[in-house]
Amino acid sequence: MERIERMARRSRYSADRLLTALLAVALLLAGCSSSGSHPKDSAGGSCPYTFALITHGDNGNFWSVVYKGAKDAAKDTGCKLSETYGSQQQGQAEPDDSAENAQIQDAINAKVNGIIVSDHAPSVMNATLAAAADAGIPVVLVNAGCDDADIAAAKAITCVGQPEQLAGKQAGARFAKENASNVLCVVHQAGQNLLDRCDGIAQGLGVGAKCGTGDAPAAGPACTELILSTPNAASNPQQAIGQVSAYLQSHPGVNAVMTLNNAIGQALVVTKPATVKIATFDLSQDVQNDLQASPPTMDFAVDQQQYLQGYLPVQFLYVYNKHEGNAVGGGTTVASGPKLVDSGNVKSVAAAIAAGDD
């Protein structure tokens, strides 16, 4: 009798365990089914806010990554981007600052819930951006305008971007460490942010606050600017590097070149003198290949992680609108870079490049 009772207890215990397991599986399946059939309940959710994204850029290798970041953030939050464009069209020599300023005014007139904008020409745009803030539309600067004075003048919450002089300073210090201190800084289009990069190189080399102009000296340390005369040089790198190559031939003391655009930098590695190191701003698949060549044909690249320049402003404006004006940045820049990438660490960014996120 006792044996029968023990067997019965075991049977009930096993049945209870089986029932518990079956219930757990059922709950898990129900949870998976629920999340799969109701995507709006996820973190993305539905968002009542519309944000305008306005830049001075085109849709090339760099800016397409910025736009991808913004679109991904809009998808994650459920918010809407009313515009995703730049004032510069492919093949156009320079950004159209007046057109960008008009786009800002259009966004104000549309009464969007936030403006994400590259403050490419502060003297043109800051008054319009301040008017947006006065109208109750929060502003986040991106890529250009990442200067405390411009952020304040535009009445923006913050700027997401790369502190340009800091990036240049790190590049200059890297060149100095490699004894490649007679640096030519190649400027492909107008823009104070590009000149700030060159000035930072001079600071990193320890030769003053400004990168020089004119003829490069016979020996460094020195930083010399070369302003390219090729219209829309970034889209015509093969034409642009002719000017750089001619300069290097007539100034044999230059032993390092920093290009501010990766298309020009990547094209230059083919024609450069063997004694000259090439570095560039911004990554691409071609730059990755140059860094991974054996031996590397590119010394290093400055990664400003522009995906974050698109992604973070959407998130910042979402939080600002949804949560009682909570803001980040404190009126200064939220840095998305710089990060120096070379043959030793390029693998760490390879996945982002392949995904179009860098």
Side-chain angles (χ1 to χ4, degrees), residues 294-334:
S294 184
T297 52
M298 180 81 72
D299 190 28
F300 64 90
V302 182
D303 181 14
Q304 61 176 299
Q305 302 180 113
Q306 69 268 30
Y307 179 87
L308 296 177
Q309 296 178 15
Y311 191 92
L312 291 179
V314 174
Q315 294 283 357
F316 292 167
L317 289 175
Y318 173 71
V319 171
Y320 184 92
N321 279 275
K322 185 175 178 61
H323 296 290
E324 300 80 35
N326 275 278
V328 299
T332 190
T333 298
V334 174

Side-chain angles (χ1 to χ4, degrees), residues 109-125:
N109 295 342
K111 298 181 179 180
V112 296
N113 302 107
I115 296 175
I116 303 161
V117 60
S118 62
D119 192 7
H120 184 252
S123 61
V124 176
M125 300 173 191

